[in-house]
Amino acid sequence: MKTLQPLLLSVSLVACASHVAMSQASPAQLSQPSDAHVIHVSAAASPGGDGSKALPFQSLEDARDAARKISDKPVTVLVGGGHYVFRNGLLFTMLDS
C-alpha cells in the first residue's frame, strides 16, 4: 500500500481587491495599501481567533472567508510561517477577486 506524503507549498496570490501572501517577511517589509484591512493567520494560533494580530486565525480557510466579507477596502492577509493542513483543499473563486 502506497503512503501519501503531505504536499508543502508556498503561495503568493494577488487579486484585484485581495492580497494573500505567505512569507517569512515581517509585516513592515510587505507592500500593502495603507488603507488595507489586515487579517492575520498563524499555524500556531488557537481555534476561534478573529484575524487580529493578537488573535490570528488558525486556518487559511477562515482568513479567506473573513476577507470575502470585506468589500469596502483592499484586504491583506498576513500568513505566518508553519505547516497548514488542507483537508478539503483551498479554493479561491471570483468572490476572492
Side-chain angles (χ1 to χ4, degrees):
M1 181 175 196
K2 196 172 192 180
T3 303
L4 297 177
Q5 296 298 318
L7 175 65
L8 299 177
L9 54 125
S10 177
V11 178
S12 289
L13 297 173
V14 179
C16 292
S18 301
H19 178 176
V20 178
M22 294 182 76
S23 173
Q24 294 298 331
S26 71
Q29 293 171 314
L30 294 174
S31 172
Q32 60 190 358
S34 60
D35 65 338
H37 182 87
V38 179
I39 297 174
H40 296 267
V41 184
S42 172
S46 298
D50 61 8
S52 66
K53 187 174 183 178
L55 294 170
F57 288 123
Q58 186 180 44
S59 76
L60 295 172
E61 293 90 342
D62 288 342
R64 177 203 55 204
D65 295 345
R68 286 179 175 174
K69 295 176 184 175
I70 300 167
S71 62
D72 61 335
K73 56 185 172 178
V75 176
T76 298
V77 178
L78 297 178
V79 180
H83 297 281
Y84 294 87
V85 178
F86 300 98
R87 302 206 187 283
N88 298 311
L90 182 62
L91 178 65
F92 292 96
T93 67
M94 292 303 294
L95 294 172
D96 303 305
S97 64

